Amino acid sequence: MNSPLPQKTMVITGCSSGFGRATALRMARLGWRVFATVRKEADQAALREEAARLGYQDRLLPVLCEITDAAQVAGLRDVVSGSVEGLDALMNNAGTAFAAPLELLDLDDLRQQFEINVVAHVSVTQTFLPLLRAAQGTIINISSVSGRYSAPVVGPYAASKYALEALSDALRVEVAHFGVKVVLVEPGSSSTHIWATSRQHAEKLNKYRAGPYGPLLARVEQFTNQAEKHGFAPELVAETIEQILSTARPKTRYLVPKKEGRVIFLRKFISDRQWDKQMRKVMQW
């Protein structure tokens, strides 16, 4: 009689809402054991309750972890390594968005943008690479279409995603020798809570709304509201993650949704001046 296949295990950061939560629930439903990080006890309790309601309580394990805190990341590693010898997948998903014209940008906000969206992901990746090597696992970095092209006011966020793309390109070659795969997922506008977080960060810009950047700030806020209301559902990213982890040789990049490729194609093949002209037209700026 054949012994059952070992249960596959993954770590997902940023599971309070959005892509992380949707993916954690989906992969648990598929039989994966998922260690899902959250930052607040209320979010941990809510995710644990949802897992129990669906019958996933033995597979979906919410863990309190602030990924910018090295001690907490080490604690997360201890929790995971205490029950597995190898890690099949790591999804670096946690993130935030700071928005401001560069002239008005608080430099501490810029530092925090990179600390959360870039440095913390490197820290988590370094921490789990020994376990990923042991299982010849997959690292999935959640980037953005903003990692391919930038736009006014969202420069800090786009810069962090550009950095994540560059690091992923280097890491993909560095760890291929060990059988570890690195995949970028590049979502477009989605109805996730990151937009609400971005608005909270941008409240400090209210004092500038009567100034010269006022019309531009108002226009970007309008786009943000539209993205939150009409963006694609987070489950589409979760479906993409399932596809990646069920494929022996996944692609290096996945656009979500695929139609985002049209803008990336346009950005690649028109000049900077043409792009700037179109951007100013869209922004009415």
Side-chain angles (χ1 to χ4, degrees):
M1 182 176 178
N2 294 330
S3 59
L5 293 173
Q7 185 180 40
K8 291 193 172 184
T9 303
M10 72 184 300
V11 170
I12 305 175
T13 64
C15 294
S16 298
S17 62
F19 303 146
R21 184 184 182 92
T23 303
L25 290 168
R26 186 178 190 90
M27 298 312 294
R29 177 171 62 81
L30 293 171
W32 283 61
R33 191 176 194 197
V34 181
F35 293 90
T37 77
V38 295
R39 294 174 55 246
K40 300 176 182 177
E41 291 184 358
D43 294 333
Q44 183 185 38
L47 188 54
R48 185 178 289 139
E49 181 180 335
E50 179 75 357
R53 183 181 69 81
L54 296 169
Y56 306 157
Q57 63 271 22
D58 294 331
R59 302 194 295 273
L60 179 50
L61 308 170
V63 182
L64 284 173
C65 181
E66 169 57 72
I67 65 169
T68 59
D69 185 317
Q72 292 191 35
V73 172
L76 173 64
R77 176 202 57 210
D78 292 344
V79 169
V80 176
S81 61
S83 59
V84 299
E85 295 182 356
L87 184 64
D88 296 285
L90 166 64
M91 176 176 164
N92 287 312
N93 167 72
T96 191
F98 287 86
L102 290 183
E103 184 178 356
L104 308 181
L105 178 63
D106 186 320
L107 293 183
D108 284 339
D109 287 349
L110 181 62
R111 294 184 182 98
Q112 189 175 2
Q113 177 74 91
F114 274 79
E115 187 67 31
I116 296 171
N117 286 17
V118 183
V119 178
H121 291 332
V122 174
S123 170
V124 172
T125 300
Q126 289 176 336
T127 298
F128 283 104
L129 260 172
L131 287 174
L132 288 158
R133 279 200 301 269
Q136 294 192 330
T138 302
I139 300 168
I140 301 172
N141 288 332
I142 304 301
S143 180
S144 167
V145 293
S146 292
R148 298 283 202 106
Y149 59 86
S150 190
V153 181
V154 296
Y157 175 74
S160 72
K161 294 302 184 180
Y162 270 58
L164 184 61
E165 298 250 342
L167 292 169
S168 298
D169 284 343
L171 182 66
R172 188 173 62 248
V173 178
E174 292 168 356
V175 300
H177 177 76
F178 308 113
V180 176
K181 297 178 284 291
V182 178
V183 179
L184 280 160
V185 175
E186 301 166 325
S189 296
S190 173
S191 54
T192 68
H193 289 182
I194 196 170
W195 298 113
T197 303
S198 179
R199 280 200 302 273
Q200 291 173 7
H201 292 324
E203 286 180 359
K204 64 178 66 177
L205 297 175
N206 286 340
K207 60 186 176 182
Y208 298 114
R209 291 184 182 276
Y213 286 105
L216 180 60
L217 292 171
R219 185 63 171 165
V220 171
E221 184 176 23
Q222 180 183 358
F223 279 118
T224 299
N225 291 335
Q226 290 174 351
E228 186 173 17
K229 292 178 181 178
H230 306 296
F232 69 87
E235 285 72 21
L236 188 55
V237 165
E239 292 175 15
T240 303
I241 303 304
E242 177 188 350
Q243 178 186 350
I244 292 167
L245 295 179
S246 61
T247 303
R249 292 189 63 187
K251 297 184 295 184
T252 58
R253 282 175 169 80
Y254 289 77
L255 282 167
V256 184
K258 292 182 179 180
K259 66 180 182 180
E260 293 291 344
R262 294 178 296 184
V263 181
I264 291 174
F265 180 88
L266 178 66
R267 180 65 189 99
K268 185 176 182 180
F269 289 100
I270 68 173
S271 70
D272 288 344
R273 292 190 184 280
Q274 289 174 309
W275 173 263
D276 292 353
K277 182 178 180 181
Q278 290 299 316
M279 188 65 66
R280 293 185 66 185
K281 181 178 180 181
V282 169
M283 292 293 177
Q284 299 176 3
W285 182 245

